[in-house]
Structures are given as structure tokens and as C-alpha cells.
Amino acid sequence: MRYGNALREELTSPRTTPLIGIYDMYSASIAARHYNGFFVSGFGFAASYYGLPDIGFIAWPDMVNFVERLRLAFPRHHLLVDIDDGYVDPEVACHVVQRLERGGASGVILEDQKRPRRCGHADGKLVLPLEEYLEKLSLVLSSRKDMLVVARTDATEEAEIMRRAAALAETDADVVLVDGVRSVEWIRRIRTVVGDKPLLFNQIAGGKSPRLSLSELTDLGVDIAIYSTPCLFAAHGAIEGALVDLKMADGRLPDTRETDCIGVKGSTELLEANISRHHADHHPAAV
């Protein structure tokens, strides 16, 4: 159970650490070729596993099983997992954190929303009273061993954002996230309020936050950037395009020998790398 410390060590880098949002094993297989860290996005998982929006449909056993499959295939990647509100009940949150830690997760994000919950970049979010959230967070922190914990607030009113960010920075959580930050100036203000506590920034295409490069985020003092849905949205466009092309070609598939299209051989080679017996060990490379 050293995955949490491996991710903490990554945060000592002078540059912002990117974690790429994946939504299934296939997207993770492709992302693993380019990045050493994954974000298990609630948005992506709800979309891919249930075909539903990110408004609270995820059942925790499904998420735990997904993370276990990821860890078996990717023994050296960081896995930061979105557990939403901890599946409502504090005792459930603690149980899920323990299961995820045993399954190989590097860390979790626990938000302060109350039901009905929403994607962090959607309108209509509601938050728990701060004291109630801090109590849940404290129980989660006492339940983990090595696992990294990100404390997240979904507050939208300016004074409340600052109050909660300061309060989260005073806890034993490893990282603070204010989701749906709307401007660079607000990132600077939050960075000042949380002091030396590591800061996480969430980027999602079409979301409320500004589109920033890793270099820009480094200059702003952001320690981790999660990219929630690049794989999901890219797949959406690619699948749509491929099926339009297939329809236009009267059902004739493209010739993979003459194009860059993926065929049986390329796909099989990608997936064969995930067979666990091919891995030399099951510990993160950063340890």
C-alpha cells in the first residue's frame, strides 16, 4: 500500500502534475502510453458504465471493481479516484476508501456536495454545512493508511469559497480542490488562502474554468491538474465520425493497410500489454 506516497512524491515536482481522466479500460490503455497518472472521473464512469449523466447514479461497488481492474493492468500508474460525496453516508465513505486503498488506488477526492449532486461544472450545486462535511472528511482521513485524500468544495458564492478553502487547508487532507473556479484571479486568491497546502485544478472541455496550459498552472502554484474527460469527448467525436464515414461508404470498412485506422492487430497489441503476468512487479515506479 505505497501508492499514496508515490503520488505525494510526484507532488514535490516543481511542475504541475497532470492526471488524465479515463472512462474505461480501453481509454486507460491508450492514455497509459502518454501519461503516468490517471484520474478516474465520475463524469466519465457514469457516462460509460451506465450511459447516464453525472448526477449521483454511481454505485460504489461498481467504482471499486473498476479501480481494481485498472490497478491489475497498470501497476505503476497513479490512480486518483472521484468518489463524489462518499456515496452520501459517512460510514459508507470510510468503507469505500478502505476498499479502494486495498484495491490499489493512489488517492480519492471527497466533495462537500449534498444530494441531488451535480457535476462540478454544472449549475444548481448544493453544499453540506461546512461542519458536517468536515466531520465526514475527518472520518475518511482516519480510515485511510497511505492513501492521498483531496478535500473538495463545490461552493459557488465568493465569500463561502474562501471560507471553505481556508478550512479545508487546515485539515489533514493532502490536497485542496475548489471545483468550477471561473478565473485565473480566483486561482491566485485560492492559492493564497490555502497557504502551503497542495492545490488541485480541474479542467473539463466546455466547463466553467479557464483553459490553461501546464506551464500557466505551474506559474499559478497549482500542484495537480486533472483533465476529467479528454478521452471520453475524443471518443464521442471519433465514433460519430467513423460511423458517418461507414454509412457514406455503404458499409465498406476502411483498409487498415492504406490508412491510419486501427484494426485487429493494433488493438490486440495495445491490450496484450495489460495482461498482469507480463508485469515485472505491482508497485509504482515512483516508489
Side-chain angles (χ1 to χ4, degrees):
M1 300 230 179
R2 300 155 62 192
Y3 295 108
N5 278 336
L7 184 52
R8 287 187 189 88
E9 184 174 334
E10 187 84 24
L11 299 187
T12 64
S13 167
R15 284 184 54 81
T16 302
T17 296
L19 300 178
I20 301 302
I22 48 88
Y23 62 89
D24 67 358
M25 295 299 296
Y26 203 91
S27 63
S29 302
I30 298 171
R33 292 178 161 184
H34 303 279
Y35 292 90
N36 71 349
F38 299 148
F39 172 52
V40 185
S41 159
F43 189 112
F45 187 73
S48 64
Y49 197 83
Y50 304 102
L52 294 170
D54 184 21
I55 56 175
F57 285 106
I58 296 174
W60 69 260
D62 295 336
M63 181 61 84
V64 169
N65 290 339
F66 178 44
V67 172
E68 289 173 345
R69 294 197 303 274
L70 281 169
R71 180 50 76 202
L72 189 62
F74 307 102
R76 289 172 290 277
H77 277 68
H78 305 299
L79 301 178
L80 180 63
V81 183
D82 183 3
I83 61 169
D84 295 337
D85 57 0
Y87 310 99
V88 185
D89 187 271
E91 291 300 338
V92 174
C94 294
H95 180 71
V96 172
V97 164
Q98 291 173 334
R99 286 285 303 271
L100 285 171
E101 185 158 22
R102 286 199 296 270
S106 307
V108 296
I109 299 177
L110 179 70
E111 69 191 30
D112 61 359
Q113 285 197 54
K114 64 180 180 180
R115 300 291 170 117
R117 71 166 306 280
R118 296 286 183 267
C119 166
H121 288 253
D123 295 325
K125 296 187 295 182
L126 304 171
V127 294
L128 294 168
L130 179 58
E131 294 72 20
E132 185 176 341
Y133 171 71
L134 291 176
E135 182 177 353
K136 182 190 291 188
L137 176 63
S138 179
L139 288 171
V140 164
L141 291 169
S142 67
S143 299
R144 57 94 182 257
K145 294 180 181 178
D146 165 71
M147 177 180 278
L148 179 143
V149 174
V150 179
R152 162 179 158 178
T153 181
D154 282 84
T156 56
E157 193 274 322
E158 293 185 1
E160 189 64 10
I161 288 173
M162 304 307 281
R163 183 174 84 97
R164 291 190 179 230
L168 300 188
E170 292 297 320
T171 71
D172 290 330
D174 299 277
V175 181
V176 170
L177 162 62
V178 177
D179 210 5
V181 178
R182 295 172 183 261
S183 70
V184 168
E185 179 56 33
W186 266 99
I187 298 173
R188 292 193 180 100
R189 294 179 64 182
I190 293 164
R191 173 72 275 173
T192 300
V193 166
V194 301
D196 295 332
K197 184 77 72 172
L199 183 63
L200 186 152
F201 179 70
N202 179 22
Q203 297 201 92
I204 181 169
K208 296 182 181 298
S209 298
R211 296 180 301 110
L212 299 171
S213 69
L214 289 172
S215 296
E216 290 170 322
L217 291 172
T218 296
D219 291 342
L220 290 167
V222 172
D223 300 276
I224 312 178
I226 54 174
Y227 294 80
S228 295
T229 54
C231 297
L232 180 70
F233 293 168
H236 184 144
I239 292 168
E240 183 76 24
L243 295 182
V244 168
D245 290 346
L246 186 64
K247 188 183 295 183
M248 293 291 292
D250 192 29
R252 189 186 304 278
L253 289 169
D255 187 344
T256 59
R257 296 167 299 180
E258 297 180 358
T259 69
D260 293 330
C261 293
I262 296 296
V264 173
K265 183 175 183 293
S267 181
T268 301
E269 289 175 349
L270 174 75
L271 298 175
E272 283 177 342
N274 297 341
I275 299 174
S276 60
R277 65 182 174 84
H278 292 172
H279 302 316
D281 60 68
H282 290 270
H283 301 293
V287 175

